[in-house]
Structure formats: C-alpha cells, structure tokens
Amino acid sequence: MDILREEYSASGEYKYEIRRRRDGLFQVSVEKKYTGSDGYMPEGWFQYLPIPDMRHIADTLKRAAEIGEECLRNLA
C-alpha cells in the first residue's frame, strides 16, 4: 500500500498516514516520533512508530483525512 497522504502535528511529535487498501477502503495510521534515547539510534536521529490503538478505516479519502486531523488534534 502506497502512502496517499501524510500530515504532521504542529510540534512534529505525531503524524498520520493514509493508505488505500486492496478492498478500496482507506486506512489511517497515527504514529509517534521515537528518538531512540536508549542508544538504539545516533543522536539527532528519529523514526515514527505506529500507535497500536490509533488505526482507523474510512470509505473515502476525505473522511480518512478528517479522522487523521481529529486524531492529531486530540494528541496535541
């Protein structure tokens, strides 16, 4: 599944991605920035990891974007 849309919170701490599934529905995944403070990654490096209970399915791209924006508002 290719990423159709990717948006970040104002702080850059969270983001959501929208992907189209094979069945035609849209999957919204919300992710949190991980800095690897345990020594896993070098200083200044980061990656985004999915928040397990923040995955949603929508029938349209517009609705998926609305869900993603609402998730970011709730996390900020």
Side-chain angles (χ1 to χ4, degrees), residues 26-54:
F26 297 88
Q27 179 176 306
V28 182
S29 298
V30 181
E31 301 180 355
K32 182 175 181 1
K33 188 177 189 178
Y34 173 71
T35 58
S37 59
D38 60 358
Y40 171 71
M41 291 185 285
E43 182 75 27
W45 288 32
F46 64 88
Q47 65 183 9
Y48 285 91
L49 298 175
I51 301 173
D53 59 344
M54 297 289 286

Side-chain angles (χ1 to χ4, degrees), residues 16-30:
Y16 72 83
E17 296 178 347
I18 299 174
R19 299 171 188 260
R20 181 174 222 135
R21 298 172 9 147
R22 286 187 210 169
D23 61 7
L25 296 175
F26 297 88
Q27 179 176 306
V28 182
S29 298
V30 181

Side-chain angles (χ1 to χ4, degrees), residues 49-60:
L49 298 175
I51 301 173
D53 59 344
M54 297 289 286
R55 189 162 288 170
H56 304 277
I57 304 297
D59 58 346
T60 66

